[in-house]
Amino acid sequence: MEDSALRGLVGEVVTRVRGPHEPGEVRLLFHGCWETLIAYGDGPLARGQSVLVTGSRGAGAVEVIAWAGEVPPEPGALGTRSFDELATGEMEE
């Protein structure tokens, strides 16, 4: 799994993320397959919360933030918006 390809993916928490030092698990749709990865967040994230991957820690571990939108049904469903637009919630017209 390419670490750089994970950045910007949207997924869902399947095992509660407790914070930066106590990970949980997230489920992401990656190249058409559901993958479950270890996830770290700035703070607690509840099971079922949508998340945005902001970075990789390697070896199947990612950093995530809360995401207000829903998990997309397939890769690329978020269109051509950049990672920065997704992370800040801003969109170019």
Side-chain angles (χ1 to χ4, degrees):
M1 184 176 305
E2 302 167 23
D3 292 343
S4 62
L6 296 172
R7 186 174 180 210
L9 291 179
V10 176
E12 180 179 25
V13 175
V14 292
T15 302
R16 185 172 67 102
V17 177
R18 292 162 192 83
H21 304 295
E22 297 182 51
E25 292 180 314
V26 295
R27 183 176 74 130
L28 306 168
L29 190 56
F30 184 72
H31 291 294
C33 297
W34 287 105
E35 301 282 347
T36 301
L37 302 171
I38 302 297
Y40 295 86
D42 287 344
L45 296 167
R47 185 171 187 240
Q49 169 72 51
S50 295
V51 292
L52 175 68
V53 177
T54 58
S56 172
R57 293 192 176 193
V62 293
E63 296 176 3
V64 297
I65 59 172
W67 175 251
E70 294 186 22
V71 177
E74 59 186 65
L78 294 175
T80 58
R81 289 181 278 169
S82 72
F83 170 77
D84 292 330
E85 291 169 333
L86 293 173
T88 61
E90 297 175 6
M91 291 176 38
E92 291 182 9
E93 297 295 327

